[in-house]
Amino acid sequence: MSRIALGVSYGGGSYAGWQSQPSGRTVQDRLEAALGAFAVQPVSTICAGRTDAGVHGLMQVVHFDTALDRAPGSWVRGTNSFLPPDIAVQWAQPVSDSFHARASAQRRRYAYVLLESPVRPSVEAGRVGWVFRPLDGEAMRAATRHLLGEHDFTSFRASGCQALTPVKTLYRADIHRRDSRAASSAYWRFDFEGNAFLHHMIRNIMGCLIAVGTGRASPDWIAEVIAARSRDAAAPTFAPDGLYFVGPVYDPAWGLPSSAAAYDWLP
């Protein structure tokens, strides 16, 4: 048996999240069906980080074990021939049996792309979040400083979260604005990097940052939300549309790609 790692990108809008479900309408179900069709035998995968319904993946990393001897490029082209247009294997690479897509990941990265505009999105619908009120970037950046470091993130945790502990470490939270040519419009990109994330954690953080950015709460309110350790203390969960799993971070010794072509279009 040999172990293969894959980098996979997908648009999550048509799927009920990553993890396999009886309905079969998940990214994992589609990927495993395509791998099985190419390999002509069942293939089970383990991923670096599960994503929710509607959340996109720029470089999800999975691994699987197989007795087949195929060139890496063959795994890419062969599997993609059985996948729908909104899921694509970006690369394939043999790895040692000690590699584990989830356990070997040192950090995980997410990005949220948000449209600030008086008019709702159209061609980018499902690919960006949307606010119609102007946002204060400096206030939001001040708020993120309370999130950095190790915290009990219970206030940002979904009720159905299965994580063993709500204590996580957020290493980075960056916010960038790109002005649009249209009047009173802009695109915002929020980048988050942590050791792990809770169910709905980023979407709940986004709800709070937008409350700060629109002036409904002060930057220091975020510290109060964290200290409360109660989901009721935070803002409502924000839409999944603009959320992207950018990918895991591994020790360079594994020699795995750190980016893929799917990165290049994202603002």
Side-chain angles (χ1 to χ4, degrees):
M1 299 290 286
S2 60
R3 181 159 293 184
I4 305 295
L6 302 179
V8 184
S9 63
Y10 52 88
S14 299
Y15 304 101
W18 167 267
Q19 189 173 13
S20 180
Q21 296 182 18
S23 68
R25 198 173 60 85
T26 72
V27 180
Q28 183 179 20
D29 287 320
R30 293 298 181 90
L31 176 64
E32 291 184 351
L35 284 166
F38 173 64
V40 199
Q41 57 185 266
V43 175
S44 297
T45 61
I46 294 177
C47 72
R50 292 177 292 181
T51 51
D52 297 337
V55 177
H56 316 294
L58 295 183
M59 196 177 72
Q60 174 73 269
V61 175
V62 307
H63 81 259
F64 62 92
D65 296 325
T66 179
L68 296 181
D69 182 15
R70 297 284 188 273
S74 180
W75 282 110
V76 174
R77 293 188 297 274
T79 306
N80 283 344
S81 68
F82 293 100
L83 283 169
D86 52 1
I87 305 175
V89 176
Q90 300 290 312
W91 53 262
Q93 187 168 313
V95 289
S96 73
D97 292 346
S98 59
F99 174 80
H100 191 282
R102 181 173 63 253
S104 298
Q106 298 173 330
R107 301 185 179 190
R108 291 163 178 82
R109 300 166 292 172
Y110 281 88
Y112 198 100
V113 181
L114 181 69
L115 172 64
E116 174 196 323
S117 172
V119 179
R120 64 172 174 79
S122 55
V123 295
E124 68 269 68
R127 302 287 183 172
V128 299
W130 174 53
V131 293
F132 58 86
R133 295 186 177 92
L135 295 172
D136 183 336
E138 289 308 308
M140 292 189 294
R141 292 183 185 97
T144 62
R145 290 193 275 273
H146 295 290
L147 296 165
L148 298 177
E150 184 181 85
H151 299 286
D152 182 328
F153 284 100
T154 295
S155 295
F156 304 96
R157 182 182 193 175
S159 59
C161 181
Q162 299 176 355
L164 297 178
T165 173
V167 178
K168 306 297 176 186
T169 302
L170 191 63
Y171 300 107
R172 184 167 65 91
D174 298 332
I175 302 174
H176 301 283
R177 173 189 166 111
R178 191 184 76 180
D179 289 332
S180 169
R181 295 178 184 176
S184 305
S185 297
Y187 288 95
W188 295 82
R189 175 168 170 159
F190 300 74
D191 283 283
F192 303 94
E193 184 171 326
N195 63 340
F197 292 88
L198 303 169
H199 189 201
H200 285 177
M201 179 172 162
I202 296 297
R203 291 172 59 191
N204 291 332
I205 287 175
M206 284 300 303
C208 290
L209 291 179
I210 290 167
V212 171
T214 55
R216 290 181 285 126
S218 72
D220 291 340
W221 171 69
I222 297 293
E224 298 175 16
V225 172
I226 295 172
R229 298 182 184 180
S230 169
R231 182 68 193 93
D232 293 337
T237 305
F238 203 62
D241 303 40
L243 184 56
Y244 295 79
F245 180 45
V246 177
V249 177
Y250 296 109
D251 188 314
W254 292 115
L256 297 177
S258 59
S259 63
Y263 276 49
D264 295 339
W265 76 272
L266 198 62

